[in-house]
Amino acid sequence: MVRRWTVPDDLSDFVPLSSPLVRCTETAALLGYSGVATDARLMERSWGDWSGSTIAEMEARPGMPRLDDKATYDVAFRPPNGETLMEVQARVATLFEELAAAGEDRVVFCHRGIIRTVYGWATDWSLAGDPADKLSRQAAQLFRLNDAGVPAVARLNLRLDRG
């Protein structure tokens, strides 16, 4: 499917930046960006000691809440030696401050959790329940940063398919 995607014309001059994880750098390459700069602050949330576990395996632990229960999702929940969602947002905030100061438009290749975290930050959504807007996995989400690096929604669900 990604092989049929293309970056929208109005974003094609943006400078690429990617999470260092393979699925992001490979997506960037498939969209025509080779040798993309990476930044570890765009990596998905760290699950610490639970990295590599399935959701079912994590939820089977004594006292563990259901992780896919969006209505009661706790942004302060920390897996052992992992990150809370608020820590993910703080990590991304340091990058956004730098990007805002540089003043370059960027096309960023990152993970769904990062996109949802940025969307929550931009819209004051708590990350519990469903977001007010659908965030398609097969589309680009466009955010603008103010001078301090705080995101605002510019456009959501920009089509990537060529059809």
Side-chain angles (χ1 to χ4, degrees):
M1 173 181 301
V2 175
R3 293 183 193 282
R4 296 190 328 239
W5 288 359
T6 187
V7 175
D9 289 341
D10 53 340
L11 308 182
S12 62
D13 291 336
F14 288 20
V15 177
L17 181 65
S18 178
S19 161
L21 298 181
V22 172
R23 66 180 170 262
C24 291
T25 57
E26 285 180 347
T27 299
L30 287 168
L31 286 168
Y33 297 102
S34 59
V36 174
T38 62
D39 193 300
R41 292 171 288 187
L42 292 170
M43 289 176 60
E44 62 192 345
R45 177 185 188 177
S46 170
W47 287 91
D49 296 349
W50 296 353
S51 292
S53 299
T54 66
I55 288 177
E57 290 167 341
M58 288 187 257
E59 290 178 341
R61 289 173 163 74
M64 181 65 194
R66 285 199 44 202
L67 294 174
D68 63 353
D69 185 355
K70 294 185 233 171
T72 61
Y73 200 80
D74 180 1
V75 297
F77 172 73
R78 177 194 321 279
N81 296 308
E83 290 179 292
T84 69
L85 289 176
M86 298 312 296
E87 289 168 334
V88 172
Q89 182 178 323
R91 167 167 48 92
V92 172
T94 63
L95 172 62
F96 281 12
E97 289 168 4
E98 291 172 18
L99 294 177
E104 284 184 310
D105 290 330
R106 295 288 192 142
V107 59
V108 175
F109 297 90
C110 62
H111 310 274
R112 182 166 176 80
I114 297 294
I115 294 167
R116 289 173 53 89
T117 300
V118 171
Y119 174 86
W121 184 14
T123 62
D124 292 324
W125 171 51
S126 71
L127 303 179
D130 290 319
D133 299 291
K134 181 181 184 325
L135 302 172
S136 173
R137 293 177 184 263
Q138 300 171 8
Q141 314 307 329
L142 183 62
F143 298 94
R144 296 276 182 217
L145 303 180
N146 70 14
D147 291 342
V150 177
V153 172
R155 290 187 308 183
L156 298 175
N157 300 312
L158 285 76
R159 289 184 59 157
L160 296 172
D161 59 343
R162 296 181 186 161

